[in-house]
Amino acid sequence: MIKMWVFKVLIFFMIQCSNLVWAQNFYDEDPHLIELTPKNFDKVIHRTNYTSVVEFYAPWCGYCKQLKPVMKKVAKKLDGIVQVASVNCDLPKNKQLCAEHRIQGFPTLMVFRPPKIDMSKPHSQRVELRNHAGEVYKGERKMAPIIDFAVSRMKNYVKRLLNVNKLEEIFKKSTRPSMVLFSKKDKLSPVYKSIALDWLGVFNCFIIPNGKLDSLSSDDNLAKSYPNIYGFLQSIAHDQKNSEKSLLVVFDPHNDQYHVFQGDSLVKPQVSKFLTGSIGRNPQEGPGSKRQQFVDAVKSGKNKRVNHDEL
Ligand SMILES: *[C@@H]1O[C@H](CO)[C@@H](O)[C@H](O)[C@H]1NC(C)=O
């Protein structure tokens, strides 16, 4: 009998010990990665217009240990652009989650891509799919290819305009304010795409290459219908069309008004403040949003303090 008792205690301590050694999460202390559980997986990954990269791992696996510093770098670079998260499949509470995603080896990287929403339709007529599409990443386990892949799976809600006067048509059609990036580059930056995601349904989002300010013409309805906005465009056209800088402007056609972002580059918290100030509303996601508070709370393990139902 005594032997059995000793044996049981031993087993108990061995299990405790192995939990400590094996079940430690990789990224609990990382400010950019979110360790997920069945409790928050759905809210963090599916209830968003953001794309996510999720690493399914087991702390004891050698390739996972190799990938860890890479993922930390990936998460830092993608901060605010693509969500980066992880699931420790070694934890008993996570086993089912890993099984549901048919995880067979560690590490497995999956990218979750949101459905595209047709923003031209009124809210009531939009078909909103509940879940994101999951896709296993099969490329090299290095920083650059993982980032490229994740960014390529972002949804784009920024429209490119090659004729400034087209703005008139847009202002007439939509009741939303518009943000326009007069851009030095022709290429759309992931940061600007993410800003469009944060404000989806609040702003229409456009990019106009600087050079295209040449297309501004006065014998058009833009000048007649929105004289103030037209005057502003005229005033910036000359300098901006050859400029090496980008310029972010909010247009509020309803009041024929505009607001110019004063920052040098698109730093998200600053842009968010500017946009909030220009229309008196908070974004749906990203800096300054309730959703961001929730995500930050999950990251720091304090998610119980945020009322989930408000989101
Ligand atoms: C995505 O954005 C649209 C438009 O604002 C919004 O209606 C929808 O709820 C968002 N989707 C999720 C899952 O948050």
Side-chain angles (χ1 to χ4, degrees), residues 46-49 117 119 123 126 128 132 200-201 284-285:
H46 293 298
R47 304 280 82 78
T48 173
N49 285 301
I117 300 169
M119 294 309 294
H123 197 273
R126 278 183 221 145
E128 284 185 18
H132 290 196
L200 199 55
Q284 313 251 76
E285 303 197 48

Side-chain angles (χ1 to χ4, degrees), residues 214-226:
D214 258 347
S215 60
L216 186 68
S217 118
S218 62
D219 41 62
D220 190 278
N221 288 331
L222 185 67
K224 277 182 229 134
S225 309
Y226 306 98

Side-chain angles (χ1 to χ4, degrees), residues 150-168:
V151 167
S152 77
R153 295 310 192 257
M154 286 175 88
K155 281 283 171 295
N156 178 31
Y157 292 94
V158 181
K159 288 208 186 92
R160 186 183 304 273
L161 282 186
L162 300 177
N163 181 340
V164 191
N165 285 72
K166 270 260 161 69
L167 284 173
E168 195 263 344

Side-chain angles (χ1 to χ4, degrees), residues 16-234:
Q16 286 300 320
C17 226
S18 68
N19 266 345
L20 285 180
V21 174
W22 302 121
Q24 198 81 270
N25 292 332
F26 270 1
Y27 307 107
D28 279 336
E29 307 299 321
D30 192 292
H32 305 293
L33 258 133
I34 317 170
E35 285 277 359
L36 297 172
T37 66
K39 255 196 179 147
N40 54 31
F41 190 91
D42 194 51
K43 274 232 159 78
V44 173
I45 301 302
H46 293 298
R47 304 280 82 78
T48 173
N49 285 301
Y50 272 81
T51 295
S52 304
V53 183
V54 182
E55 181 197 359
F56 294 86
Y57 72 96
W60 43 261
C61 108
Y63 287 119
C64 303
K65 286 178 192 157
Q66 273 177 29
L67 187 60
K68 185 175 165 185
V70 176
M71 288 312 288
K72 282 171 156 281
K73 277 192 249 167
V74 166
K76 195 168 176 200
K77 290 247 171 171
L78 287 179
D79 188 35
I81 293 170
V82 168
Q83 296 191 120
V84 183
S86 58
V87 177
N88 179 354
C89 293
D90 214 31
L91 294 179
K93 65 175 174 188
N94 286 346
K95 295 236 150 107
Q96 167 119 29
L97 192 56
C98 299
E100 272 165 26
H101 290 92
R102 299 192 193 86
I103 305 304
Q104 279 158 357
F106 304 122
T108 297
L109 282 179
M110 284 186 77
V111 174
F112 291 87
R113 194 163 21 107
K116 176 105 187 191
I117 300 169
D118 186 349
M119 294 309 294
S120 64
K121 291 208 174 109
H123 197 273
S124 56
Q125 284 173 29
R126 278 183 221 145
V127 185
E128 284 185 18
L129 296 171
R130 243 188 100 72
N131 280 351
H132 290 196
E135 185 181 1
V136 175
Y137 172 78
K138 300 229 169 83
E140 259 191 300
R141 291 195 193 127
K142 291 201 173 138
M143 186 182 77
I146 296 172
I147 289 178
D148 287 349
F149 187 81
V151 167
S152 77
R153 295 310 192 257
M154 286 175 88
K155 281 283 171 295
N156 178 31
Y157 292 94
V158 181
K159 288 208 186 92
R160 186 183 304 273
L161 282 186
L162 300 177
N163 181 340
V164 191
N165 285 72
K166 270 260 161 69
L167 284 173
E168 195 263 344
E169 233 174 82
I170 287 154
F171 293 165
K172 278 260 153 73
K173 253 205 291 207
S174 172
T175 52
R176 288 183 206 121
S178 292
M179 66 170 112
V180 177
L181 184 70
F182 296 97
S183 173
K184 62 176 173 182
K185 279 190 263 168
D186 217 23
K187 213 174 152 234
L188 201 50
S189 77
V191 174
Y192 192 49
K193 269 195 203 178
S194 78
I195 292 168
L197 289 178
D198 292 341
W199 294 89
L200 199 55
V202 182
F203 280 100
N204 297 317
C205 214
F206 301 96
I207 184 169
I208 302 180
N210 278 341
K212 297 297 174 189
L213 271 161
D214 258 347
S215 60
L216 186 68
S217 118
S218 62
D219 41 62
D220 190 278
N221 288 331
L222 185 67
K224 277 182 229 134
S225 309
Y226 306 98
N228 205 26
I229 289 177
Y230 175 79
F232 164 75
L233 289 170
Q234 212 178 19

Side-chain angles (χ1 to χ4, degrees), residues 229-281:
I229 289 177
Y230 175 79
F232 164 75
L233 289 170
Q234 212 178 19
S235 76
I236 62 159
H238 180 74
D239 286 345
Q240 191 63 29
K241 76 180 176 207
N242 300 313
S243 175
E244 281 305 303
K245 281 191 177 164
S246 299
L247 186 71
L248 181 68
V249 185
V250 163
F251 293 108
D252 165 14
H254 190 68
N255 299 305
D256 190 16
Q257 293 221 333
Y258 58 88
H259 308 267
V260 182
F261 177 59
Q262 300 298 342
D264 279 337
S265 58
L266 297 182
V267 180
K268 281 191 65 166
Q270 282 170 29
V271 171
S272 177
K273 251 194 195 153
F274 159 71
L275 295 172
T276 296
S278 68
I279 58 159
R281 274 187 70 173

